[in-house]
Amino acid sequence: MRLALIVPMLWVLVTLVFFLMRVIGDPITAAQGGRLTPAQIAERKAEAGLDRPILTQYLEYLGNILRGDFGTTLTDNRDVTDILIVNGAATLELSFWALLVAFAVGIPLGRIAARYRDRWPDVLLRLFAIVAYAAPVFFVGLLLKLATAPFGWPTSGRASTATELTLAKVEPQTNIMIIDALLWGEPTYVWDVLQHAVLPALALGLLTGGVFLRLVRVNLLQTLRADYVTAARARGVSERQVERKHAFRNALVPVVTVMGMQIAMLLAGAVLTETTFEWKGIGYELAQYLIRRDFLAVQGIVTAIAFVVCIASFLIDAIVALVDPRVRF
């Protein structure tokens, strides 16, 4: 049932993005207005097919998407599909590091908060979770840059210039910097890539880590009050064993469920995080094309992100159904 809903959901998203991008006017005028003469703009519109009826453009756009063609940018004539492959790999890498931070922060601290319920460690951790979730990503990023810059820690880019130039020669090129560094086989480059990933991963990962912390705490407290946990205590099982073997695993099911929504949050936060740290992923490119008013590029990138979020949410739901037999589609 959920799989059948993906197609109409994607169709609605694509349709909304297409027509919203044209509410402001045609993309050529938006991007080039004031720099080209009216005759040149009309010529560009004819070349891009934007002088045809809107319904014809819409149907052609749907057909192109079905073939995996998300269009071409107006300002630098790049294939949006190439942007998604090259810069999407950077966003994928950043999301991976951010999820590692989120799990490393949220899950153990959530367990500690549940263990010391209503005592001072619980109060402090709940306060930390609220601040981590509520603080703007770019603000956290700027604070991290200010705090670490005096110590010479890298505060921008995915790697130093020398490392990027070297890793550009790696074959096969994955565009995921840490994998390319491992393929090159030089520990110095691996360390350089890891150093550059720390601050962006912290800025973006703490946002999701705050959510995980609260989820683990609440669900662990509920699970500890379940009948089967009470029965385990009655059999003489230690409290540590009860928590680890009986309560903790079941408390993680809601965390896996929420991961689908957190993927959308990570991608949204990536726009600000990548811009703050000059991490050249999809979010960074999206911000640059918005500044240039290149709405054909924005249209293609936003549509692709919608595809990723829908498919990832479905996969997470499928994993939850496998983990928890009570969940059925």
Side-chain angles (χ1 to χ4, degrees), residues 144-146 148-149 152-157 195-196 199-200 276-278:
L144 290 172
K145 292 177 75 169
L146 289 173
T148 56
W153 194 268
T155 58
S156 63
Q195 280 184 300
H196 282 78
L199 297 186
T276 302
F277 292 97
E278 297 180 31

Side-chain angles (χ1 to χ4, degrees), residues 222-299:
Q222 289 178 347
T223 308
L224 287 172
R225 291 195 293 268
D227 292 340
Y228 67 89
V229 173
T230 303
R233 290 193 181 106
R235 293 196 305 270
V237 180
S238 68
E239 193 64 26
R240 186 178 296 273
Q241 289 287 93
V242 165
E243 179 189 325
R244 187 172 71 249
K245 289 190 175 181
H246 296 274
F248 179 61
R249 291 181 182 177
N250 290 332
L252 285 181
V253 173
V255 176
V256 177
T257 305
V258 171
M259 276 184 61
M261 293 184 289
Q262 296 307 308
I263 290 171
M265 184 182 291
L266 282 174
L267 291 174
V271 177
L272 296 174
T273 306
E274 291 176 1
T275 304
T276 302
F277 292 97
E278 297 180 31
W279 184 284
K280 296 184 179 179
I282 287 183
Y284 179 86
E285 291 297 326
L286 180 61
Q288 299 306 307
Y289 284 120
L290 279 169
I291 293 171
R292 301 176 204 164
R293 300 178 66 82
D294 189 336
F295 293 119
L296 283 185
V298 173
Q299 172 184 279

Side-chain angles (χ1 to χ4, degrees), residues 99-134:
L99 277 176
L100 285 184
V101 171
F103 284 126
V105 169
I107 292 178
L109 293 185
R111 294 180 68 175
I112 293 172
R115 185 178 303 165
Y116 296 97
R117 179 187 180 186
D118 295 333
R119 286 181 275 178
W120 68 265
D122 180 31
V123 174
L124 290 178
L125 288 173
R126 278 188 287 167
L127 180 61
F128 166 77
I130 293 171
V131 172
Y133 178 74

Side-chain angles (χ1 to χ4, degrees), residues 38-165:
Q40 290 174 319
I41 289 177
E43 182 181 351
R44 292 283 187 91
K45 287 170 65 176
E47 290 176 356
L50 297 175
D51 58 343
R52 294 174 297 170
I54 189 70
L55 183 58
T56 303
Q57 296 180 44
Y58 171 66
L59 293 175
E60 182 183 14
Y61 184 63
L62 287 181
N64 289 339
I65 286 179
L66 291 174
R67 294 193 298 271
D69 180 5
F70 290 91
T72 304
T73 65
L74 294 172
T75 51
D76 52 8
N77 201 36
R78 290 181 65 189
D79 192 332
V80 175
T81 304
D82 290 339
I83 296 174
L84 297 174
I85 293 172
V86 175
N87 299 96
T91 299
L92 177 65
E93 183 178 10
L94 175 58
S95 299
F96 172 77
W97 295 127
L99 277 176
L100 285 184
V101 171
F103 284 126
V105 169
I107 292 178
L109 293 185
R111 294 180 68 175
I112 293 172
R115 185 178 303 165
Y116 296 97
R117 179 187 180 186
D118 295 333
R119 286 181 275 178
W120 68 265
D122 180 31
V123 174
L124 290 178
L125 288 173
R126 278 188 287 167
L127 180 61
F128 166 77
I130 293 171
V131 172
Y133 178 74
V137 175
F138 70 89
F139 179 69
V140 175
L142 290 175
L143 287 180
L144 290 172
K145 292 177 75 169
L146 289 173
T148 56
F151 302 100
W153 194 268
T155 58
S156 63
R158 298 175 63 195
S160 62
T161 303
T163 300
E164 287 189 356
L165 291 174

